[in-house]
C-alpha cells in the first residue's frame, strides 16, 4: 500500500536525480583540488540515499495499522488564486512599479481572503500603499521600482 | 566590555524598543514566527547600521518568546511553538480566574531566565570565540555537519524527512558561484541567480508567504480574548514561592539546550515541563492549572534563546532559523560573526549582548501593563492582517538585492513552503541547510586541498574526529534502529 511518505520519497529521489544530471556538467577535478562539481555530486547522492531511506522505512509493515493520513485539511482554491496573484504582482513590478502593484495585490488578497464589500478592501489597499510609500520610500529611502 | 553601554545610546534604545514590541506582537500572532518577521524587517535594519540593526533583530528574536505566552494563557492559542506547553496549565489557570497571576509569572520567569542566560552568554561567548581561533576548515566542516545531523534528529519530525530537507537546503545553496573557484552553477543563464538564491527571499517565502497561503486555506474566526486588569497582575506569595524552583531549573535546562542545534526553545519548554512532572513537589497538579507549568517552560524557552546566540556569535554557526536570519543580517551589514567578531566589531558584539539586558527590562515593563493590548492583536481578522504580510514579504525580497528575480524566488519559496506544510515537511531544516551549505562546501574543499587530497585530513585533529564520530553515530544509530524494528516486525 502506498503511503504519503513513499510519494514524498519518490519526489525527493526525482529531485536528487535531476540535480545530479545538471551537476554532471561541472568538472570534478581531483581530490587535492576539487572542482565545482564535487560538492554538488556528493550532496545529490546523499539526497538520493536519504530518499531511499525514507522509501524503505515508510513501507507499512504487514499487519501494522494503516498510516495516519496527512493533516492536509480540506482543498481550497483560495491559496492557488493567491499564489497566482503573487506571480502577477512579481510580473507587474518592473512596468507598474512597486506601490501600484502592491495596491492591486492587497486588493486582490483581501477580497480572496473574505474581506467583504468594495470599500473595506479598497481602504486597506490604499492605507497599506500609503504606509509603504511613507515608511520605506520617503522615510528609509529604500529604492523601489 | 565598556562597549556594553553602546546599547544605551538613544538610537540603540529605540531600536531595542521597536524590536521587542515587534517581537512581542509576532509572538502573540500564531503563524509567522520570529524568523519570518526578522526576514521581513531586514531592509529596515540594514538602513539602521550594524549595531542598531542587529539590536532590533535580536529584540524581535527574544521578544517573540515573551509574547508567545500571552495568547497561550488568555485564549489557549500559542503564538509560538515554544509556548504550546505554557497553554496546558496557563489556560487552566486563566479559566480559574488566575490569568493575571499566570501572565505575571510568565513575564517574571522570562525576565529571570533571559537575564541569567545573557550573563552566561556574556561569560561564555568570548571564551568560545578564543577557542574557535584554533579551528581550521576540518573542524568547521565537522561542526557544521554535526549541527545539521543533530538538527535532523531533534526537529521532531521523521528523521529522513528532516535530513532530506537539510540536503535540499544545501542543494539550493549551490546555486550561483561556487565558493572557491567562482564557477557559476545551476543558474540556467538567469542573471539574477548568479549571486545565489537570496536567503531573505527564501525565508520570507517559506515562513511569510506560506503562512498567508495556509491561513487562506483554513480561515478561522478570531479568538475571543479574556480581559485582564492591571491590578489583577499580582501573583500571590504562595504562587511566587512555588514558581521559583521550576523557574531556576528551566533557566539552566533552557540555556544548555539552546547550545544544541535544533528548535531549542520548543524542545527546552517541553523538556522543562517533563522535568517538572518528575521532580516538582506539586507534580500531581500539573495539567490542571499549576503555576509550575507556566514558570518552568517560559523560563526554559527564554533561556534557550540566549544559549542559541553562543554558536552564532562565537563560531558564526546558526542552529535555528532565527539565528540564521541574524547571521544573514550580519553579513548584509558587512559584519562577519565568528571568532573575529569581538576583535573586529567589539561595539556590535557587546552592543547586542548589552541590548539583551535592556530588552529584558523593556519586555517586563511592557508586557505586564500592556498585556491586554498585545492579546488583542491576536484578534485582528486574517483578511485585514495577511495582505500586509504579503507585501512586506515582497518588499523584503526585493530590497535584499534590488532585484525582481528575488521576488520570484520568494513566490516560489512560498508555494513550496505551503506544499511542504501540507506534506508534513518542516521548512526550518531547509533554511539551515541553505545558510550552512556554503560553509560546509568551502570548509570541506579547503580541508581536502590542505590535505593534498587525503580525506584523513578531515579527522586528523582531535576535535574534528570527535565531532565527525558524533555526527556518524547520530546519523547511523536511528537508521540501524529503524531497520532493526522492521526486521523484528512480525510477518
Amino acid at each position: 500500500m502506498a503511503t504519503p511518505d513513499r510519494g514524498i520519497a519518490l519526489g525527493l529521489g526525482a529531485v536528487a536525480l535531476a540535480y545530479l544530471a545538471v551537476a554532471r556538467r561541472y568538472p570534478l577535478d581531483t581530490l587535492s583540488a576539487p572542482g565545482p562539481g564535487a560538492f554538488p555530486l556528493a550532496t545529490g547522492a546523499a539526497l538520493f540515499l536519504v530518499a531511499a531511506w525514507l522509501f524503505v522505512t515508510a513501507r507499512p509493515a504487514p499487519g501494522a495499522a494503516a498510516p495516519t493520513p496527512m493533516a492536509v485539511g480540506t482543498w481550497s482554491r483560495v491559496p492557488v488564486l493567491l499564489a497566482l496573484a503573487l506571480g502577477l504582482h512579481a510580473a507587474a513590478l518592473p512596468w507598474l512599479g512597486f506601490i501600484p502593484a502592491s495596491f492591486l495585490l492587497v486588493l486582490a488578497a483581501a477580497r480572496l481572503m473574505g474581506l467583504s464589500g468594495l470599500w473595506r478592501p479598497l481602504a486597506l489597499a490604499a492605507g497599506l500603499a500609503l504606509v509603504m510609500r511613507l515608511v520605506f520610500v520617503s522615510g528609509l529611502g529604500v529604492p523601489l521600482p | 566590555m565598556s562597549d556594553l553601554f553602546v546599547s544605551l545610546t538613544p538610537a540603540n534604545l529605540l531600536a531595542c524598543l521597536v524590536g521587542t514590541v515587534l517581537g512581542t506582537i509576532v509572538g502573540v500572532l500564531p503563524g509567522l514566527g520570529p524568523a519570518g518577521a526578522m526576514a521581513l524587517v531586514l531592509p529596515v535594519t540594514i538602513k539602521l547600521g550594524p549595531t542598531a540593526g542587529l539590536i532590533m533583530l535580536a529584540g524581535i528574536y527574544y521578544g517573540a518568546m515573551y509574547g508567545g505566552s500571552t495568547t497561550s494563557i488568555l485564549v489557549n492559542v500559542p503564538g509560538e511553538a515554544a509556548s504550546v506547553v505554557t497553554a496546558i496549565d496557563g489556560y487552566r489557570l486563566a479559566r480559574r480566574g488566575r490569568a493575571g497571576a499566570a501572565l505575571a509569572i510568565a513575564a517574571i520567569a522570562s525576565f529571570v531566565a533571559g537575564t541569567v542566560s545573557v550573563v552566561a552568554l556574556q561569560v561564555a561567548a568570548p571564551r568560545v570565540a578564543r577557542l574557535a581561533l584554533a579551528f581550521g576548515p576540518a573542524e568547521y566542516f565537522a561542526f557544521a555537519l554535526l549541527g545539521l545531523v543533530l538538527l535532523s534528529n531533534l526537529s521532531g519530525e521523521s528523521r529522513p524527512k528532516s535530513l532530506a530537507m537539510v540536503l535540499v537546503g544545501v542543494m539550493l545553496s549551490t546555486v550561483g558561484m561556487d565558493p572557491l573557484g567562482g564557477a557559476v552553477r545551476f543558474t540556467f543563464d538567469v542573471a539574477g541567480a548568479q549571486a545565489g538564491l537570496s536567503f531573505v527571499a527564501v525565508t520570507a517565502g517559506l515562513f511569510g508567504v506560506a503562512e498567508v497561503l495556509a491561513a487562506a486555506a483554513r480561515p478561522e474566526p478570531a479568538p475571543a480574548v479574556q480581559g485582564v486588569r492591571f491590578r489583577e497582575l499580582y501573583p500571590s506569595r504562595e504562587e511566587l514561592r512555588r514558581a521559583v524552583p521550576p523557574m531556576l531549573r528551566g533557566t539552566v535546562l533552557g540555556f544548555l539546550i539552546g547550545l544544541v542545534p535544533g528548535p531549542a526553545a520548543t524542545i527546552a519548554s517541553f523538556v522543562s515541563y517533563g522535568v517538572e512532572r518528575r521532580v516538582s513537589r506539586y507534580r500531581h497538579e500539573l495539567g490542571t492549572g499549576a503555576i509550575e507549568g507556566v514558570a518552568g517552560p517560559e523560563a526554559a524557552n527564554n533561556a534557550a534563546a540566549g544559549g542559541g546566540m553562543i554558536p552564532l556569535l562565537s563560531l558564526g554557526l546558526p542552529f535555528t532559523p532565527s539565528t540564521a536570519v541574524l547571521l544573514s543580517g550580519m553579513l548584509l551589514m558587512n559584519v562577519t560573526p565568528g571568532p573575529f567578531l569581538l576583535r573586529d566589531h567589539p561595539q556590535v558584539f557587546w552592543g547586542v549582548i548589552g541590548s539583551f539586558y535592556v530588552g529584558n527590562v523593556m519586555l517586563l515593563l511592557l508586557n505586564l501593563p500592556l498585556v491586554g493590548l498585545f492579546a488583542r492583536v491576536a484578534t485582528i481578522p486574517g483578511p485585514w492582517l495577511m495582505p500586509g504580510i504579503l507585501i512586506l514579504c515582497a518588499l523584503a525580497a526585493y530590497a535584499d538585492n534590488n532585484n525582481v528575480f528575488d521576488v520570484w524566488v520568494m513566490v516560489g519559496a512560498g508555494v513550496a513552503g505551503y506544499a511542504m506544510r501540507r506534506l508534513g515537511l518542516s521548512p526550518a531544516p531547509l533554511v539551515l541547510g541553505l545558510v550552512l551549505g556554503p560553509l560546509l562546501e568551502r570548509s570541506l574543499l579547503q580541508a581536502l586541498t590542505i590535505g593534498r587530497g587525503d580525506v584523513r585530513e578531515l579527522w586528523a585533529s582531535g576535535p574534528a574526529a570527535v565531532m565527525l564520530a558524533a555526527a556518524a553515530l547520530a546519523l547511523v544509530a536511528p537508521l540501524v534502529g529503524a531497520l532493526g524494528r522492521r526486521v523484528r516486525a512480525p510477518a
Side-chain angles (χ1 to χ4, degrees):
Chain A
M1 187 179 83
T3 69
D5 281 0
R6 289 183 86 175
I8 294 170
L10 288 173
L12 287 168
V15 168
L17 288 177
Y19 180 79
L20 284 169
V22 180
R24 282 181 57 217
R25 295 182 195 169
Y26 310 115
L28 296 172
D29 297 339
T30 62
L31 264 181
S32 56
F39 188 75
L41 180 72
T43 310
L47 181 63
F48 189 79
L49 289 175
V50 171
W53 175 12
L54 180 60
F55 189 86
V56 170
T57 54
R59 191 176 56 191
T68 312
M70 285 182 299
V72 293
T74 51
W75 165 254
S76 165
R77 66 191 174 92
V78 178
V80 178
L81 293 174
L82 213 46
L84 276 174
L86 265 172
L88 286 173
H89 172 257
L93 280 181
W95 55 273
L96 198 58
F98 195 93
I99 300 294
S102 296
F103 172 84
L104 293 175
L105 174 65
V106 173
L107 197 62
R111 287 287 294 152
L112 283 170
M113 293 191 75
L115 202 58
S116 54
L118 183 63
W119 290 111
R120 288 196 293 177
L122 266 177
L124 178 67
L128 282 175
L130 184 67
V131 170
M132 297 276 286
R133 177 80 177 78
L134 289 175
V135 174
F136 292 101
V137 181
S138 306
L140 294 164
V142 176
L144 294 176
Chain B
M1 193 76 127
S2 59
D3 291 317
L4 263 181
F5 298 102
V6 166
S7 57
L8 297 178
T9 63
N12 290 341
L13 282 173
L14 184 63
C16 190
L17 179 69
V18 173
T20 49
V21 171
L22 281 177
T24 306
I25 291 170
V26 167
V28 164
L29 289 171
L32 185 58
M38 287 160 73
L40 298 191
V41 300
L42 262 182
V44 176
T45 56
I46 291 167
K47 295 278 173 192
L48 300 178
T51 308
L54 292 170
I55 284 174
M56 187 188 281
L57 287 177
I60 296 174
Y61 175 42
Y62 54 81
M65 297 297 130
Y66 262 74
S69 62
T70 303
T71 43
S72 282
I73 292 167
L74 291 182
V75 283
N76 203 18
V77 177
E80 272 300 296
S83 300
V84 168
V85 175
T86 309
I88 299 172
D89 283 275
Y91 184 61
R92 283 173 177 80
L93 280 165
R95 294 191 64 178
R96 290 211 317 253
R98 300 302 297 155
L103 287 164
I105 291 291
I108 292 166
S110 301
F111 173 75
V112 170
T115 308
V116 171
S117 75
V118 179
V119 174
L121 168 68
Q122 187 183 338
V123 172
R127 285 166 176 76
V128 177
R130 274 197 291 277
L131 280 177
L133 286 174
F135 276 21
E139 287 81 8
Y140 270 104
F141 171 73
F143 200 44
L145 189 68
L146 174 63
L148 290 177
V149 171
L150 282 180
L151 171 83
S152 60
N153 279 13
L154 296 174
S155 59
E157 62 179 49
S158 140
R159 286 189 186 96
K161 276 191 198 173
S162 189
L163 200 56
M165 287 300 99
V166 166
L167 287 167
V168 170
V170 174
M171 277 167 45
L172 292 176
S173 79
T174 60
V175 174
M177 287 190 196
D178 95 85
L180 289 189
V184 175
R185 303 175 297 189
F186 302 104
T187 60
F188 304 101
D189 297 327
V190 176
Q194 286 200 358
L197 296 181
S198 157
F199 175 77
V200 175
V202 174
T203 313
L206 283 177
F207 291 96
V209 174
E211 171 59 25
V212 175
L213 296 181
R218 45 157 177 75
E220 289 168 1
V225 173
Q226 182 179 339
V228 180
R229 294 192 190 114
F230 185 64
R231 63 172 178 272
E232 292 171 356
L233 290 168
Y234 291 108
S236 67
R237 193 181 291 264
E238 169 71 2
E239 284 166 332
L240 269 177
R241 186 187 62 75
R242 283 177 53 170
V244 172
M247 203 184 290
L248 297 178
R249 284 191 287 266
T251 301
V252 175
L253 272 174
F255 185 79
L256 294 176
I257 292 171
L259 301 172
V260 181
T266 308
I267 293 174
S269 60
F270 276 91
V271 170
S272 166
Y273 195 77
V275 166
E276 292 312 313
R277 288 188 78 108
R278 286 179 180 276
V279 305
S280 172
R281 279 177 61 190
Y282 304 95
R283 53 183 174 272
H284 55 281
E285 290 181 28
L286 280 163
T288 62
I291 205 73
E292 289 80 1
V294 174
E298 278 305 303
N301 68 34
N302 279 272
M309 294 297 286
I310 290 185
L312 174 70
L313 293 178
S314 319
L315 303 168
L317 291 173
F319 286 143
T320 63
S322 299
T323 49
V325 180
L326 263 176
L327 171 76
S328 177
M330 286 175 152
L331 295 177
L332 288 170
M333 295 170 202
N334 294 319
V335 174
T336 307
F340 297 110
L341 177 63
L342 187 54
R343 186 194 68 188
D344 297 341
H345 301 279
Q347 290 214 332
V348 172
F349 184 90
W350 290 113
V352 170
I353 289 183
S355 77
F356 273 59
Y357 287 110
V358 178
N360 275 304
V361 177
M362 281 180 178
L363 283 166
L364 188 68
L365 296 177
L366 277 173
N367 270 259
L368 289 181
L370 299 181
V371 68
L373 186 67
F374 283 127
R376 287 196 192 288
V377 173
T379 66
I380 299 174
W384 286 99
L385 197 65
M386 295 300 172
I389 292 178
L390 276 186
I391 53 169
L392 272 178
C393 288
L395 179 90
Y398 177 82
D400 191 20
N401 295 307
N402 296 334
N403 192 341
V404 174
F405 173 74
D406 291 338
V407 182
W408 282 107
V409 170
M410 177 212 72
V411 175
V415 173
Y418 175 61
M420 285 164 62
R421 278 166 185 246
R422 289 179 69 99
L423 294 170
L425 299 166
S426 165
L430 189 155
V431 166
L432 291 172
L434 177 65
V435 82
L436 287 178
L439 172 75
L440 208 60
E441 178 172 10
R442 191 171 49 244
S443 51
L444 173 65
L445 301 191
Q446 282 174 341
L448 286 173
T449 306
I450 290 168
R452 296 174 189 272
D454 187 348
V455 289
R456 286 174 297 183
E457 173 67 20
L458 293 174
W459 55 83
S461 78
V466 169
M467 287 187 280
L468 283 179
L473 193 67
L475 190 63
V476 172
L479 185 60
V480 171
L483 288 175
R485 279 193 298 277
R486 192 150 294 283
V487 168
R488 283 196 303 273

